[in-house]
Amino acid sequence: LQTRLQAGQGYGNTLKCVLTVYRNESLAGFFKGMSFPLASIGIYSSVVFGVFSNTQRFLSQLRHGDPAAAPSLTDMTLASIVAGFISVGIGTPVELVKIRLQMQTQPYTKGNIKLNSTIPGSPVYRGPIHCLRTILQKEGIAGIYRGNVAMLLRDVPGYCAYFIPYAMFCDWITPDGSISPNPFSIWVAGGVAGAVSWAVCTPMDVVKSRLQADGVYLNQYKGILDCMLQSYQNEGLKVFGRGLMVNTIRGFPSSAAMFLGYELSLKAMKRFQTETNA
């Protein structure tokens, strides 16, 4: 829904988008392009969380001489920025393939366009591997990283608004005297962090989605600034809020589960290590 609302045409509001997708593509339409993200989400999340926590530990060691020392706001901000930069290298190709697969049946309305044997509204890619191979053959490595600048501008502030609110909210709702937050506190703090993060980065997410969806049939945008300018001229400022409700609603449960899984896994591994050493 997020991709259709941000880069598609004629979907209107969220409810209309849901009904349109279901009417035209049945339930399968809601799961288009998900195989590639599902196959890579474990690697992506482990890298992002690993980079963040290890950068934070490195900074604590550098500043305080103890990697386990409580990180400062500056440390968390720097660690979030580093995680945001690293995430783009892994995430851009995955996002590109997902968006191309989701948008390839979107009717193209501009007239007098020669598309060889491709008919607007008909599938261009047979699956994620075919999509990746086709983009590589036609556009090279640069094509695989289409929209990477927009994704960088989305993820760097997005991860700052992800990890920092999580740490602050988790600390706020954890009872005094507790050594570590309980699972419910982690779940709530993670959900709030996810919703806040998506609220912050939705405007640039719209630009990224449009740049990556562009190119299924032909290129409409010359770059990130041109995409922003055309979008604003055609639809006004409201265009940069497209998909905001969907992003924030999905951001809560997904991030809540992500942080809960991360924290519980860390506790389990530390307990196992302690028992092994003993």
Side-chain angles (χ1 to χ4, degrees), residues 172-203:
W172 179 59
I173 62 176
T174 300
D176 292 336
S178 297
I179 299 174
S180 60
N182 58 52
F184 179 74
S185 297
I186 294 170
W187 188 85
V188 173
V192 170
V196 170
S197 176
W198 274 111
V200 168
C201 65
T202 289

PDB file of all heavy atoms in Angstrom, residues 172-203:
ATOM      1  N   TRP A 172      12.514   5.812  30.133  1.00  0.00           N
ATOM      2  CA  TRP A 172      11.450   6.556  30.819  1.00  0.00           C
ATOM      3  C   TRP A 172      10.409   5.636  31.437  1.00  0.00           C
ATOM      4  O   TRP A 172       9.916   5.881  32.548  1.00  0.00           O
ATOM      5  CB  TRP A 172      10.797   7.519  29.830  1.00  0.00           C
ATOM      6  CG  TRP A 172       9.678   8.323  30.422  1.00  0.00           C
ATOM      7  CD1 TRP A 172       9.746   9.168  31.489  1.00  0.00           C
ATOM      8  CD2 TRP A 172       8.311   8.323  29.991  1.00  0.00           C
ATOM      9  NE1 TRP A 172       8.511   9.722  31.746  1.00  0.00           N
ATOM     10  CE2 TRP A 172       7.602   9.221  30.839  1.00  0.00           C
ATOM     11  CE3 TRP A 172       7.618   7.677  28.970  1.00  0.00           C
ATOM     12  CZ2 TRP A 172       6.243   9.468  30.706  1.00  0.00           C
ATOM     13  CZ3 TRP A 172       6.260   7.927  28.819  1.00  0.00           C
ATOM     14  CH2 TRP A 172       5.588   8.809  29.673  1.00  0.00           C
ATOM     15  N   ILE A 173      10.033   4.553  30.725  1.00  0.00           N
ATOM     16  CA  ILE A 173       8.966   3.680  31.228  1.00  0.00           C
ATOM     17  C   ILE A 173       9.487   2.512  32.060  1.00  0.00           C
ATOM     18  O   ILE A 173       8.697   1.736  32.591  1.00  0.00           O
ATOM     19  CB  ILE A 173       8.094   3.125  30.071  1.00  0.00           C
ATOM     20  CG1 ILE A 173       8.932   2.269  29.108  1.00  0.00           C
ATOM     21  CG2 ILE A 173       7.409   4.246  29.330  1.00  0.00           C
ATOM     22  CD1 ILE A 173       8.105   1.625  28.011  1.00  0.00           C
ATOM     23  N   THR A 174      10.824   2.374  32.177  1.00  0.00           N
ATOM     24  CA  THR A 174      11.389   1.316  33.020  1.00  0.00           C
ATOM     25  C   THR A 174      11.356   1.757  34.486  1.00  0.00           C
ATOM     26  O   THR A 174      11.844   2.842  34.813  1.00  0.00           O
ATOM     27  CB  THR A 174      12.844   1.008  32.609  1.00  0.00           C
ATOM     28  OG1 THR A 174      12.859   0.577  31.242  1.00  0.00           O
ATOM     29  CG2 THR A 174      13.434  -0.083  33.487  1.00  0.00           C
ATOM     30  N   PRO A 175      10.773   0.964  35.362  1.00  0.00           N
ATOM     31  CA  PRO A 175      10.672   1.347  36.783  1.00  0.00           C
ATOM     32  C   PRO A 175      12.050   1.584  37.411  1.00  0.00           C
ATOM     33  O   PRO A 175      13.033   0.929  37.034  1.00  0.00           O
ATOM     34  CB  PRO A 175       9.986   0.134  37.427  1.00  0.00           C
ATOM     35  CG  PRO A 175       9.295  -0.561  36.299  1.00  0.00           C
ATOM     36  CD  PRO A 175      10.137  -0.337  35.093  1.00  0.00           C
ATOM     37  N   ASP A 176      12.113   2.516  38.333  1.00  0.00           N
ATOM     38  CA  ASP A 176      13.367   2.800  39.040  1.00  0.00           C
ATOM     39  C   ASP A 176      13.817   1.568  39.806  1.00  0.00           C
ATOM     40  O   ASP A 176      13.010   0.873  40.427  1.00  0.00           O
ATOM     41  CB  ASP A 176      13.167   3.961  40.025  1.00  0.00           C
ATOM     42  CG  ASP A 176      12.914   5.279  39.309  1.00  0.00           C
ATOM     43  OD1 ASP A 176      13.334   5.401  38.143  1.00  0.00           O
ATOM     44  OD2 ASP A 176      12.280   6.181  39.916  1.00  0.00           O
ATOM     45  N   GLY A 177      15.105   1.330  39.764  1.00  0.00           N
ATOM     46  CA  GLY A 177      15.664   0.179  40.475  1.00  0.00           C
ATOM     47  C   GLY A 177      15.799  -1.055  39.612  1.00  0.00           C
ATOM     48  O   GLY A 177      16.470  -2.014  39.991  1.00  0.00           O
ATOM     49  N   SER A 178      15.163  -1.079  38.433  1.00  0.00           N
ATOM     50  CA  SER A 178      15.274  -2.228  37.533  1.00  0.00           C
ATOM     51  C   SER A 178      16.601  -2.188  36.795  1.00  0.00           C
ATOM     52  O   SER A 178      17.028  -1.129  36.326  1.00  0.00           O
ATOM     53  CB  SER A 178      14.128  -2.232  36.521  1.00  0.00           C
ATOM     54  OG  SER A 178      12.892  -2.368  37.173  1.00  0.00           O
ATOM     55  N   ILE A 179      17.236  -3.347  36.700  1.00  0.00           N
ATOM     56  CA  ILE A 179      18.527  -3.422  36.007  1.00  0.00           C
ATOM     57  C   ILE A 179      18.339  -3.260  34.508  1.00  0.00           C
ATOM     58  O   ILE A 179      19.125  -2.615  33.827  1.00  0.00           O
ATOM     59  CB  ILE A 179      19.230  -4.765  36.316  1.00  0.00           C
ATOM     60  CG1 ILE A 179      19.482  -4.884  37.818  1.00  0.00           C
ATOM     61  CG2 ILE A 179      20.534  -4.887  35.542  1.00  0.00           C
ATOM     62  CD1 ILE A 179      20.032  -6.226  38.245  1.00  0.00           C
ATOM     63  N   SER A 180      17.280  -3.843  33.993  1.00  0.00           N
ATOM     64  CA  SER A 180      16.997  -3.770  32.555  1.00  0.00           C
ATOM     65  C   SER A 180      15.491  -3.683  32.348  1.00  0.00           C
ATOM     66  O   SER A 180      14.708  -4.098  33.207  1.00  0.00           O
ATOM     67  CB  SER A 180      17.562  -4.998  31.830  1.00  0.00           C
ATOM     68  OG  SER A 180      16.987  -6.189  32.339  1.00  0.00           O
ATOM     69  N   PRO A 181      15.057  -3.142  31.218  1.00  0.00           N
ATOM     70  CA  PRO A 181      13.613  -3.016  30.960  1.00  0.00           C
ATOM     71  C   PRO A 181      12.947  -4.370  30.775  1.00  0.00           C
ATOM     72  O   PRO A 181      13.573  -5.319  30.286  1.00  0.00           O
ATOM     73  CB  PRO A 181      13.564  -2.189  29.671  1.00  0.00           C
ATOM     74  CG  PRO A 181      14.885  -2.417  29.013  1.00  0.00           C
ATOM     75  CD  PRO A 181      15.867  -2.589  30.126  1.00  0.00           C
ATOM     76  N   ASN A 182      11.694  -4.469  31.164  1.00  0.00           N
ATOM     77  CA  ASN A 182      10.963  -5.727  30.971  1.00  0.00           C
ATOM     78  C   ASN A 182      10.496  -5.826  29.525  1.00  0.00           C
ATOM     79  O   ASN A 182      10.513  -4.830  28.783  1.00  0.00           O
ATOM     80  CB  ASN A 182       9.789  -5.822  31.954  1.00  0.00           C
ATOM     81  CG  ASN A 182       8.823  -4.658  31.800  1.00  0.00           C
ATOM     82  OD1 ASN A 182       8.360  -4.356  30.710  1.00  0.00           O
ATOM     83  ND2 ASN A 182       8.507  -3.982  32.909  1.00  0.00           N
ATOM     84  N   PRO A 183      10.085  -7.017  29.070  1.00  0.00           N
ATOM     85  CA  PRO A 183       9.673  -7.201  27.667  1.00  0.00           C
ATOM     86  C   PRO A 183       8.576  -6.241  27.209  1.00  0.00           C
ATOM     87  O   PRO A 183       8.601  -5.769  26.075  1.00  0.00           O
ATOM     88  CB  PRO A 183       9.191  -8.653  27.631  1.00  0.00           C
ATOM     89  CG  PRO A 183       9.988  -9.328  28.692  1.00  0.00           C
ATOM     90  CD  PRO A 183      10.124  -8.300  29.786  1.00  0.00           C
ATOM     91  N   PHE A 184       7.622  -5.939  28.106  1.00  0.00           N
ATOM     92  CA  PHE A 184       6.548  -5.027  27.708  1.00  0.00           C
ATOM     93  C   PHE A 184       7.090  -3.627  27.452  1.00  0.00           C
ATOM     94  O   PHE A 184       6.692  -2.968  26.486  1.00  0.00           O
ATOM     95  CB  PHE A 184       5.464  -4.973  28.790  1.00  0.00           C
ATOM     96  CG  PHE A 184       4.340  -4.023  28.459  1.00  0.00           C
ATOM     97  CD1 PHE A 184       3.391  -4.360  27.496  1.00  0.00           C
ATOM     98  CD2 PHE A 184       4.236  -2.783  29.091  1.00  0.00           C
ATOM     99  CE1 PHE A 184       2.362  -3.487  27.170  1.00  0.00           C
ATOM    100  CE2 PHE A 184       3.210  -1.908  28.774  1.00  0.00           C
ATOM    101  CZ  PHE A 184       2.278  -2.259  27.818  1.00  0.00           C
ATOM    102  N   SER A 185       8.003  -3.160  28.293  1.00  0.00           N
ATOM    103  CA  SER A 185       8.612  -1.837  28.104  1.00  0.00           C
ATOM    104  C   SER A 185       9.376  -1.779  26.787  1.00  0.00           C
ATOM    105  O   SER A 185       9.319  -0.786  26.059  1.00  0.00           O
ATOM    106  CB  SER A 185       9.557  -1.516  29.272  1.00  0.00           C
ATOM    107  OG  SER A 185       8.853  -1.442  30.490  1.00  0.00           O
ATOM    108  N   ILE A 186      10.094  -2.860  26.489  1.00  0.00           N
ATOM    109  CA  ILE A 186      10.852  -2.934  25.235  1.00  0.00           C
ATOM    110  C   ILE A 186       9.900  -2.876  24.040  1.00  0.00           C
ATOM    111  O   ILE A 186      10.140  -2.160  23.065  1.00  0.00           O
ATOM    112  CB  ILE A 186      11.688  -4.233  25.186  1.00  0.00           C
ATOM    113  CG1 ILE A 186      12.772  -4.206  26.267  1.00  0.00           C
ATOM    114  CG2 ILE A 186      12.315  -4.420  23.810  1.00  0.00           C
ATOM    115  CD1 ILE A 186      13.478  -5.540  26.456  1.00  0.00           C
ATOM    116  N   TRP A 187       8.796  -3.633  24.143  1.00  0.00           N
ATOM    117  CA  TRP A 187       7.826  -3.698  23.047  1.00  0.00           C
ATOM    118  C   TRP A 187       7.196  -2.329  22.791  1.00  0.00           C
ATOM    119  O   TRP A 187       7.115  -1.885  21.645  1.00  0.00           O
ATOM    120  CB  TRP A 187       6.742  -4.723  23.399  1.00  0.00           C
ATOM    121  CG  TRP A 187       5.788  -5.014  22.289  1.00  0.00           C
ATOM    122  CD1 TRP A 187       5.946  -5.908  21.271  1.00  0.00           C
ATOM    123  CD2 TRP A 187       4.511  -4.388  22.064  1.00  0.00           C
ATOM    124  NE1 TRP A 187       4.857  -5.886  20.437  1.00  0.00           N
ATOM    125  CE2 TRP A 187       3.958  -4.963  20.902  1.00  0.00           C
ATOM    126  CE3 TRP A 187       3.795  -3.403  22.752  1.00  0.00           C
ATOM    127  CZ2 TRP A 187       2.719  -4.586  20.405  1.00  0.00           C
ATOM    128  CZ3 TRP A 187       2.561  -3.022  22.250  1.00  0.00           C
ATOM    129  CH2 TRP A 187       2.028  -3.610  21.096  1.00  0.00           C
ATOM    130  N   VAL A 188       6.769  -1.668  23.849  1.00  0.00           N
ATOM    131  CA  VAL A 188       6.136  -0.344  23.701  1.00  0.00           C
ATOM    132  C   VAL A 188       7.140   0.677  23.177  1.00  0.00           C
ATOM    133  O   VAL A 188       6.841   1.446  22.245  1.00  0.00           O
ATOM    134  CB  VAL A 188       5.534   0.140  25.044  1.00  0.00           C
ATOM    135  CG1 VAL A 188       5.041   1.575  24.911  1.00  0.00           C
ATOM    136  CG2 VAL A 188       4.392  -0.766  25.467  1.00  0.00           C
ATOM    137  N   ALA A 189       8.338   0.701  23.758  1.00  0.00           N
ATOM    138  CA  ALA A 189       9.355   1.660  23.337  1.00  0.00           C
ATOM    139  C   ALA A 189       9.752   1.435  21.877  1.00  0.00           C
ATOM    140  O   ALA A 189       9.926   2.389  21.112  1.00  0.00           O
ATOM    141  CB  ALA A 189      10.588   1.548  24.233  1.00  0.00           C
ATOM    142  N   GLY A 190       9.872   0.174  21.487  1.00  0.00           N
ATOM    143  CA  GLY A 190      10.201  -0.140  20.092  1.00  0.00           C
ATOM    144  C   GLY A 190       9.113   0.305  19.135  1.00  0.00           C
ATOM    145  O   GLY A 190       9.389   0.835  18.058  1.00  0.00           O
ATOM    146  N   GLY A 191       7.846   0.109  19.533  1.00  0.00           N
ATOM    147  CA  GLY A 191       6.735   0.526  18.688  1.00  0.00           C
ATOM    148  C   GLY A 191       6.670   2.033  18.524  1.00  0.00           C
ATOM    149  O   GLY A 191       6.473   2.538  17.406  1.00  0.00           O
ATOM    150  N   VAL A 192       6.853   2.751  19.623  1.00  0.00           N
ATOM    151  CA  VAL A 192       6.850   4.218  19.566  1.00  0.00           C
ATOM    152  C   VAL A 192       7.987   4.711  18.684  1.00  0.00           C
ATOM    153  O   VAL A 192       7.811   5.617  17.860  1.00  0.00           O
ATOM    154  CB  VAL A 192       6.968   4.819  20.985  1.00  0.00           C
ATOM    155  CG1 VAL A 192       7.214   6.323  20.911  1.00  0.00           C
ATOM    156  CG2 VAL A 192       5.708   4.532  21.787  1.00  0.00           C
ATOM    157  N   ALA A 193       9.166   4.101  18.835  1.00  0.00           N
ATOM    158  CA  ALA A 193      10.323   4.492  18.028  1.00  0.00           C
ATOM    159  C   ALA A 193      10.062   4.277  16.535  1.00  0.00           C
ATOM    160  O   ALA A 193      10.416   5.112  15.699  1.00  0.00           O
ATOM    161  CB  ALA A 193      11.556   3.698  18.460  1.00  0.00           C
ATOM    162  N   GLY A 194       9.413   3.162  16.204  1.00  0.00           N
ATOM    163  CA  GLY A 194       9.099   2.882  14.805  1.00  0.00           C
ATOM    164  C   GLY A 194       8.135   3.896  14.213  1.00  0.00           C
ATOM    165  O   GLY A 194       8.325   4.366  13.087  1.00  0.00           O
ATOM    166  N   ALA A 195       7.098   4.234  14.980  1.00  0.00           N
ATOM    167  CA  ALA A 195       6.117   5.214  14.507  1.00  0.00           C
ATOM    168  C   ALA A 195       6.751   6.588  14.334  1.00  0.00           C
ATOM    169  O   ALA A 195       6.505   7.279  13.334  1.00  0.00           O
ATOM    170  CB  ALA A 195       4.948   5.290  15.491  1.00  0.00           C
ATOM    171  N   VAL A 196       7.577   6.999  15.305  1.00  0.00           N
ATOM    172  CA  VAL A 196       8.253   8.298  15.228  1.00  0.00           C
ATOM    173  C   VAL A 196       9.207   8.344  14.029  1.00  0.00           C
ATOM    174  O   VAL A 196       9.242   9.326  13.281  1.00  0.00           O
ATOM    175  CB  VAL A 196       9.031   8.581  16.535  1.00  0.00           C
ATOM    176  CG1 VAL A 196       9.928   9.803  16.376  1.00  0.00           C
ATOM    177  CG2 VAL A 196       8.067   8.799  17.691  1.00  0.00           C
ATOM    178  N   SER A 197       9.958   7.267  13.857  1.00  0.00           N
ATOM    179  CA  SER A 197      10.935   7.219  12.764  1.00  0.00           C
ATOM    180  C   SER A 197      10.264   7.359  11.403  1.00  0.00           C
ATOM    181  O   SER A 197      10.710   8.134  10.548  1.00  0.00           O
ATOM    182  CB  SER A 197      11.717   5.906  12.832  1.00  0.00           C
ATOM    183  OG  SER A 197      12.614   5.790  11.742  1.00  0.00           O
ATOM    184  N   TRP A 198       9.164   6.635  11.194  1.00  0.00           N
ATOM    185  CA  TRP A 198       8.493   6.700   9.908  1.00  0.00           C
ATOM    186  C   TRP A 198       7.819   8.053   9.686  1.00  0.00           C
ATOM    187  O   TRP A 198       7.747   8.540   8.560  1.00  0.00           O
ATOM    188  CB  TRP A 198       7.471   5.575   9.772  1.00  0.00           C
ATOM    189  CG  TRP A 198       8.099   4.321   9.271  1.00  0.00           C
ATOM    190  CD1 TRP A 198       8.289   3.151   9.948  1.00  0.00           C
ATOM    191  CD2 TRP A 198       8.655   4.106   7.966  1.00  0.00           C
ATOM    192  NE1 TRP A 198       8.928   2.231   9.149  1.00  0.00           N
ATOM    193  CE2 TRP A 198       9.155   2.793   7.928  1.00  0.00           C
ATOM    194  CE3 TRP A 198       8.769   4.904   6.829  1.00  0.00           C
ATOM    195  CZ2 TRP A 198       9.767   2.254   6.806  1.00  0.00           C
ATOM    196  CZ3 TRP A 198       9.375   4.379   5.702  1.00  0.00           C
ATOM    197  CH2 TRP A 198       9.872   3.067   5.686  1.00  0.00           C
ATOM    198  N   ALA A 199       7.350   8.669  10.760  1.00  0.00           N
ATOM    199  CA  ALA A 199       6.773  10.007  10.633  1.00  0.00           C
ATOM    200  C   ALA A 199       7.821  11.009  10.163  1.00  0.00           C
ATOM    201  O   ALA A 199       7.532  11.903   9.364  1.00  0.00           O
ATOM    202  CB  ALA A 199       6.182  10.450  11.969  1.00  0.00           C
ATOM    203  N   VAL A 200       9.047  10.829  10.640  1.00  0.00           N
ATOM    204  CA  VAL A 200      10.147  11.724  10.275  1.00  0.00           C
ATOM    205  C   VAL A 200      10.600  11.502   8.834  1.00  0.00           C
ATOM    206  O   VAL A 200      10.863  12.463   8.092  1.00  0.00           O
ATOM    207  CB  VAL A 200      11.342  11.537  11.239  1.00  0.00           C
ATOM    208  CG1 VAL A 200      12.601  12.232  10.715  1.00  0.00           C
ATOM    209  CG2 VAL A 200      10.999  12.068  12.627  1.00  0.00           C
ATOM    210  N   CYS A 201      10.688  10.257   8.413  1.00  0.00           N
ATOM    211  CA  CYS A 201      11.313  10.000   7.105  1.00  0.00           C
ATOM    212  C   CYS A 201      10.329   9.764   5.958  1.00  0.00           C
ATOM    213  O   CYS A 201      10.752   9.541   4.818  1.00  0.00           O
ATOM    214  CB  CYS A 201      12.289   8.825   7.211  1.00  0.00           C
ATOM    215  SG  CYS A 201      11.536   7.245   7.601  1.00  0.00           S
ATOM    216  N   THR A 202       9.020   9.851   6.205  1.00  0.00           N
ATOM    217  CA  THR A 202       8.050   9.648   5.123  1.00  0.00           C
ATOM    218  C   THR A 202       8.220  10.613   3.945  1.00  0.00           C
ATOM    219  O   THR A 202       8.142  10.174   2.784  1.00  0.00           O
ATOM    220  CB  THR A 202       6.611   9.715   5.669  1.00  0.00           C
ATOM    221  OG1 THR A 202       6.359   8.545   6.466  1.00  0.00           O
ATOM    222  CG2 THR A 202       5.586   9.774   4.546  1.00  0.00           C
ATOM    223  N   PRO A 203       8.452  11.928   4.164  1.00  0.00           N
ATOM    224  CA  PRO A 203       8.618  12.820   3.003  1.00  0.00           C
ATOM    225  C   PRO A 203       9.716  12.362   2.035  1.00  0.00           C
ATOM    226  O   PRO A 203       9.510  12.342   0.815  1.00  0.00           O
ATOM    227  CB  PRO A 203       8.978  14.166   3.646  1.00  0.00           C
ATOM    228  CG  PRO A 203       8.313  14.119   4.981  1.00  0.00           C
ATOM    229  CD  PRO A 203       8.457  12.704   5.431  1.00  0.00           C
TER     230      PRO A 203
END
